[in-house]
Amino acid sequence: MHRFLANYYGLNIIDIQEYYQNNEIIQFGNKFGTHQLAVLNRNVSKEIAKNIDIFKISKKSFDINMPEYKIVTPENMQRNGNFKIFNPNNSMYNEIVYRLEKGNSLAINNCDGYQIIGMHSWNLENNGEITKLNWVVAATHCGSIYLKNINQNIVKQTSKLKVICEIQAELVINNEVIVKFNDENLPNTEFYEAAQSWLPNSVSLPYFDLISFFLCKPNPKMKLFDLSIIPSDIEIEIDKDIDRSYLIPNIVFFKDSMEFIDEYIGHLYPNITKHIDRVLTPQIINKTKPQPTPPAPKPTPQPTPQELEIKSLKDKLSQKEKDINNLDINHKKALTSQELEIKSLKEALSKKEKDISSLEINYQKALNTKNHLSYKLGAALIKANKNWYKGGYIKFIFEVIRINKEHKK
């Protein structure tokens, strides 16, 4: 239907749906819920902006007898009772809101023959401020409005979001139309998807904040488009002079990249984990862990058993050297014995110093492991895994590229 009407009215069209079908990436698109990846929307928008001059204006002329449209606000409606009035505004909006609650109501005057086709509301906090709740939570805080005339009753809810929604029932305005807060808790006759009152954690607001109604007065000369002329048994091809689908970026590349990332991480993560467990000492792993609190002052280091043994040997050697200096020349035999003992002590000391040197070399090798490419990749993957919900795995690919460049240098 969209393709047919684009051809009929001469409207430019970018057919992303057909692109997804032709490239068999419908399931890829379904991964991201209501909206596609921001990077895809951003690139499509850039291409439209860069090529805006090639978009043609439709030259087809039609004899269209338009309806009459009107916007009415509580300010130019009949108000019964007292109203709280708020002025929610930010960098994008500046609205006047009238609060419907128990004890007040509105009536629409001088609009006989019009129908209410849309409603503009913005349910605020109790004090009139814009909510700071996120979208998901704000959509569950709902206020209900009640519209009625002699023949119809309409009950509809909107949430703590600034919304313009349709009124589906064709309520014709006459002098008996009343607009009020649904203080009788009547069941909804219409639903709005961003007012999720059906969820168990939903909240019913004791008021409804109204901005305006959109009205339409049908034109008897207006002919509605006959949808039956649109063929349903054949594929509609878009006219070449309005088809701008060639501006779609290479979404297949993004799909392949996402699959590559998923598969690569699936293989890479266990291998790096095994490498870290096998090569790095527990002491070095502990040093890489983030500390929740600033470290306490280090206690005075206690000498290791090897250092104590070396100190003992040095003390004995010093004592023996003092003894030799005090020996009389007549004690040559005793001297020879002492020299042998000194030699033995020196050999023991030399061996212990070599052992200490070997320990220091091994420890330095362990520290140098931090500079290995595999270690850096492992640390980056651990960080990505901890921040997966913030796009950690996407950032990981770019971090791998950066680490690789630095490692080559």
Side-chain angles (χ1 to χ4, degrees), residues 127-143:
N127 60 2
E129 293 184 356
I130 300 172
T131 187
K132 292 182 173 61
L133 299 174
N134 62 48
W135 192 98
V136 174
V137 179
T140 62
H141 289 233
C142 305

Side-chain angles (χ1 to χ4, degrees), residues 375-391:
Y375 179 89
K376 292 177 180 178
L377 290 173
L381 185 58
I382 290 172
K383 181 178 179 182
N385 186 55
K386 289 180 178 179
N387 296 282
W388 64 269
Y389 56 93
K390 296 181 180 178

Side-chain angles (χ1 to χ4, degrees), residues 51 82 286:
N51 295 277
N82 297 320
N286 287 333

Side-chain angles (χ1 to χ4, degrees), residues 285-299:
I285 292 176
N286 287 333
K287 288 182 180 180
T288 64
K289 291 180 179 178
Q291 300 298 321
T293 56
K298 292 184 179 180

Side-chain angles (χ1 to χ4, degrees), residues 44 55 60 78 101 108 110 113 133 149 203 212 216 221 237 240 278 335 362 386:
V44 171
F55 281 74
K60 295 184 180 180
Q78 179 183 325
E101 50 193 340
I108 303 176
N110 304 319
L133 299 174
N149 65 9
V203 176
S212 63
C216 170
K221 296 181 180 180
E237 292 187 5
K240 291 183 179 180
R278 185 178 66 253
L335 177 61
N362 289 338
K386 289 180 178 179

Side-chain angles (χ1 to χ4, degrees), residues 46-111:
K46 284 181 179 178
E47 291 303 313
I48 292 174
K50 288 190 294 185
N51 295 277
I52 195 65
D53 291 339
I54 67 174
F55 281 74
K56 294 182 178 179
I57 298 174
S58 175
K59 294 182 179 179
K60 295 184 180 180
S61 60
F62 299 93
D63 183 17
I64 301 175
N65 297 294
M66 295 294 290
E68 295 180 26
Y69 294 101
K70 184 182 290 189
I71 297 175
V72 295
T73 68
E75 185 179 6
N76 46 47
M77 296 169 66
Q78 179 183 325
R79 299 184 297 278
N80 304 306
N82 297 320
F83 288 82
K84 295 175 183 175
I85 303 173
F86 303 104
N87 177 216
N89 61 87
N90 53 27
S91 61
M92 193 168 186
Y93 302 111
N94 187 2
E95 307 290 356
I96 302 298
V97 169
Y98 281 70
R99 175 159 293 178
L100 289 164
E101 50 193 340
K102 187 173 183 178
N104 63 20
S105 64
L106 297 167
I108 303 176
N109 297 323
N110 304 319
C111 294

Side-chain angles (χ1 to χ4, degrees), residues 158-219:
T158 60
S159 60
K160 284 185 177 178
L161 300 170
K162 183 183 183 299
V163 299
I164 298 173
C165 61
E166 66 176 334
I167 300 297
Q168 297 159 0
E170 297 180 354
L171 188 147
V172 179
I173 296 173
N174 54 37
N175 291 331
E176 297 177 356
V177 171
I178 296 175
V179 180
K180 58 178 289 190
F181 169 66
N182 180 22
D183 55 4
E184 301 174 40
N185 293 321
L186 299 172
N188 290 326
T189 62
E190 298 184 4
F191 288 89
Y192 177 58
E193 64 92 15
Q196 299 172 356
S197 58
W198 56 85
L199 296 178
N201 60 338
S202 64
V203 176
S204 295
L205 301 176
Y207 53 83
F208 186 93
D209 292 336
L210 178 67
I211 297 174
S212 63
F213 287 114
F214 293 82
L215 311 181
C216 170
K217 189 173 186 178
N219 188 329

Side-chain angles (χ1 to χ4, degrees), residues 16 20 28-29 31-47 249 251 254 258 394:
I16 297 181
Y20 271 49
F28 166 76
K31 286 184 178 181
F32 309 107
T34 306
H35 304 288
Q36 290 303 288
L37 286 175
V39 64
L40 303 184
N41 293 326
R42 191 161 56 246
N43 278 276
V44 171
S45 301
K46 284 181 179 178
E47 291 303 313
I251 301 176
F254 293 108
M258 290 293 293
I394 301 298

